Amino acid sequence: MSTQDHVSWSTVASRGASKKVLRPLPVSAETDSQFKLKSNTLFHHPELDYQIMVRQAASIVKQALTPGSVLFSFPASLFKHRTEAYELIEAQCGAVQGFRPISNYGTRSAGEFMVEVKFVMPTSTTKAITHGVSYKNLLFKGSPSVPSGNNTLVHVKMTLLRIPDKDTFLADLKRSLRYYGEVYQVKEYTCGGYFEGELSVILDISAGYIDASGDKTMPVQPLSNSLYLEQWDCFAAASYKGAAPVCHWCKVAGHMRKDCPELAKRVCFKCNGRGHTAKFCKTKKTSDSIDLHEYL
């Protein structure tokens, strides 16, 4: 089915919001030690490492990077002093307006040296990105900076509540997720070599998608705890930084247990009040009352 042709996203969103968010129960430490989940990368975008570096740099300096600049990342032990890296970049790429050592603003425990470079000529910028610089038989390519508003890589953990076809699994998953952003990485987790539906996905939620006509770019749909997968016409439970809380009582996202409308309907067998169960009742027993378990 095609979501855009048959089902509106408002309908999809309302369906997803009403579904329970089902996640596997935690496994005991003894079982984990024998059958620890192992990850296997199914898809890795060639620009993912560069995109992560750009966003990491922006998060370190807590502001937007210089427009038109280039980022380089070197092992911290490669140079005796950072100025040696400056000389190397300028000698192989062209004249530089200035450098900003991003690593100086972060933690010293990081094993890399990251620097932002602003070149005088656009040709030098292009050369730094396409050809990079070489040192001791190692090649380091620069990464173009992006506006701070585009620093939108989101790591999503998913649980597929269905068994997909293995041959078309990755292609179907990427087609389904395109409504939420551009897929940069897909990892599956296996237990004892068997896939149980656990996935992790990295999405760029700033990238739009092409509509059914193929000539119009549409804005991405917002992430939620239940992501609609068009190719299988189903929902997958999802968690990510900033996701809505999930109620421990009704398993529906968007509210906490204390505000649960379903729990508010429950009648306590102990005090006959509403909004809680006897296990969590705070009403004190009167002196002449006797607990059933005590009586038995």
Side-chain angles (χ1 to χ4, degrees), residues 113-126:
F113 165 63
M114 189 182 302
V115 59
E116 182 184 17
V117 187
K118 179 69 173 179
F119 290 98
V120 175
M121 301 297 295
T123 53
S124 299
T125 301
T126 303

Side-chain angles (χ1 to χ4, degrees), residues 234-255:
C234 71
F235 286 86
S239 62
Y240 53 93
K241 186 177 181 180
V246 177
C247 175
H248 292 299
W249 178 261
C250 69
K251 307 302 181 184
V252 175
H255 62 269

Side-chain angles (χ1 to χ4, degrees), residues 27-103:
V27 184
S28 65
E30 181 180 357
T31 304
D32 270 350
S33 62
Q34 300 176 15
F35 300 100
K36 187 177 181 180
L37 291 179
K38 295 184 179 180
S39 64
N40 177 35
T41 302
L42 301 179
F43 173 74
H44 188 92
H45 198 290
E47 293 186 1
L48 175 60
D49 295 335
Y50 291 145
Q51 296 294 339
I52 290 177
M53 181 174 65
V54 170
R55 286 152 176 79
Q56 180 184 4
S59 65
I60 290 175
V61 298
K62 307 298 183 184
Q63 61 183 352
L65 300 178
T66 306
S69 65
V70 178
L71 281 174
F72 279 98
S73 180
F74 304 99
S77 59
L78 191 62
F79 303 102
K80 292 182 179 180
H81 193 269
R82 60 180 179 273
T83 54
E84 295 180 6
Y86 301 165
E87 294 175 2
L88 181 70
I89 293 171
E90 190 165 32
Q92 297 189 20
C93 296
V96 172
Q97 293 186 13
F99 296 91
R100 179 162 64 160
I102 301 295
S103 302

Side-chain angles (χ1 to χ4, degrees), residues 111-167:
E112 63 177 357
F113 165 63
M114 189 182 302
V115 59
E116 182 184 17
V117 187
K118 179 69 173 179
F119 290 98
V120 175
M121 301 297 295
T123 53
S124 299
T125 301
T126 303
K127 187 175 182 180
I129 296 171
T130 57
H131 295 83
V133 297
S134 58
Y135 184 71
K136 293 184 178 180
N137 296 324
L138 298 174
L139 179 64
F140 303 94
K141 288 188 176 181
S143 175
S145 63
V146 295
S148 57
N150 292 337
N151 296 343
T152 47
L153 287 184
V154 179
H155 185 199
V156 182
K157 292 185 178 180
M158 299 172 54
T159 302
L160 295 182
L161 304 179
R162 64 172 289 120
I163 301 176
D165 296 330
K166 186 175 182 180
D167 294 338

Side-chain angles (χ1 to χ4, degrees), residues 216-257:
K216 186 179 180 181
T217 301
M218 305 292 292
V220 296
Q221 302 300 325
L223 294 174
S224 67
N225 298 84
S226 295
L227 299 183
Y228 180 66
L229 304 180
E230 178 191 53
Q231 296 299 122
W232 301 305
D233 190 22
C234 71
F235 286 86
S239 62
Y240 53 93
K241 186 177 181 180
V246 177
C247 175
H248 292 299
W249 178 261
C250 69
K251 307 302 181 184
V252 175
H255 62 269
M256 304 294 286
R257 185 180 188 276

